[in-house]
Amino acid sequence: MVKRNLETCFSPALYETERHEGSIIVIIDILRASSSICTAFENGARSIIPVATVPEARAYKGKGYLVAAERDGFILDFADFGNSPFNFTPQKVTGKTIVYSTTNGTGIIQMASSAGYIVIGSFLNISSLTGWILKQDKDVVLFCAGWKNRFALEDTICAGAVAERLMASTLYSTICDSTHAALDLWSLAKGDITGYIEKAAQRSRLRDKNLDDCIGFCLTIDYTRKVPIVKEGVLVCVDL
């Protein structure tokens, strides 16, 4: 049996579009975009339109769309809400299409446009995500959003958690140093994820801005069975 290939990309600055055509690209931005997207679908959102730039988000707002948009953690002045998963309540999102723009996470969705599939990953949907991946016959890239093209510890340990599950299936193999590093970091973190995240720079950034109330929630395993997937540029979801 020919095993599928598993790779990890630690930063958008390292992503090579032409190398990953046809692969499954898993977007990981657990503090907070990918966690918020999973929460929005769990709470009834119909679809999410990811946009990379502030002008795009503003233009959609002018067309009457519900907009979630932030930069450096703060909600933009024209947006309906920001980037915390706690913003995406059933009362706000059930049956709605939401335009979504964040500092790191939404822009890399466009970078991965040559993929066979683009899916959203987090601790919140990790079992359903890996279960769905295992049913596909494609190579996988775990694409960490990072922070402004820099390495992010929290995204890397989530990538390691996903990699551990995929490798345990025996369907995947890797010669990717980044995947091995993510697995090693996850082995250190998994006994106390919350404690390990205390050293992450993004944890400090959110604390300094009084935006850290959702961190414990973002580290919750299997809050949802939703797997958000990009179809024709729009996020919809499969439910496993």
Side-chain angles (χ1 to χ4, degrees):
M1 180 182 68
V2 177
K3 291 190 176 184
R4 309 162 194 170
N5 187 48
L6 174 62
E7 295 186 44
T8 301
C9 180
F10 286 150
S11 160
L14 300 172
Y15 187 75
E16 300 172 279
T17 302
E18 66 282 355
R19 290 191 62 241
H20 304 305
E21 291 183 9
S23 298
I24 296 171
I25 309 298
V26 182
I27 305 294
I28 299 173
D29 186 7
I30 66 165
L31 297 178
R32 296 170 291 168
S34 63
S35 299
S36 294
I37 290 168
C38 290
T39 301
F41 281 114
E42 174 63 22
N43 287 339
R46 181 174 62 186
S47 60
I48 294 175
I49 302 172
V51 299
T53 70
V54 172
E56 288 177 284
R58 192 185 299 274
Y60 272 105
K61 179 62 178 177
K63 297 175 184 177
Y65 281 85
L66 190 66
V67 174
E70 60 81 28
R71 286 299 181 273
D72 294 332
F74 296 115
I75 183 173
L76 299 183
D77 57 2
F78 62 87
D80 297 286
F81 42 84
N83 191 32
S84 169
F86 295 156
N87 294 154
F88 296 83
T89 62
Q91 294 79 8
K92 290 182 178 179
V93 305
T94 297
K96 301 291 181 62
T97 292
I98 303 159
V99 174
Y100 197 22
S101 184
T102 70
T103 306
N104 303 293
T106 55
I108 67 174
I109 292 174
Q110 295 183 5
M111 290 182 65
S113 60
S114 66
Y117 295 106
I118 304 170
V119 295
I120 304 299
S122 68
F123 286 113
L124 300 181
N125 71 339
I126 190 168
S127 292
S128 294
L129 171 72
T130 53
W132 179 87
I133 290 171
L134 291 171
K135 293 177 182 177
Q136 317 308 315
D137 186 15
K138 291 185 179 294
D139 295 338
V140 169
V141 180
L142 306 175
F143 191 177
C144 300
W147 174 259
K148 297 183 178 180
N149 284 332
R150 301 171 190 169
F151 175 91
L153 194 59
E154 69 280 2
D155 294 339
T156 302
I157 66 166
C158 185
V162 175
E164 180 181 69
R165 293 177 181 229
L166 294 179
M167 296 290 286
S169 74
T170 73
L171 294 174
Y172 283 87
S173 63
T174 187
I175 57 169
C176 171
D177 285 351
S178 295
T179 300
H180 287 302
L183 285 163
D184 286 349
L185 287 171
W186 170 239
S187 73
L188 294 173
K190 63 183 178 181
D192 180 10
I193 306 174
T194 302
Y196 194 84
I197 286 292
E198 281 296 313
K199 66 180 73 177
Q202 181 67 347
R203 196 270 175 265
S204 296
R205 294 185 195 103
L206 293 175
R207 180 193 293 117
D208 292 346
K209 296 170 183 175
N210 294 317
L211 297 171
D212 61 341
D213 59 324
C214 66
I215 289 179
F217 175 76
C218 291
L219 303 179
T220 302
I221 304 293
D222 290 339
Y223 169 77
T224 179
R225 295 184 60 80
K226 308 290 186 182
V227 181
I229 183 169
V230 176
K231 292 188 176 180
E232 297 182 353
V234 176
L235 280 160
V236 293
C237 76
V238 293
D239 192 350
L240 301 183

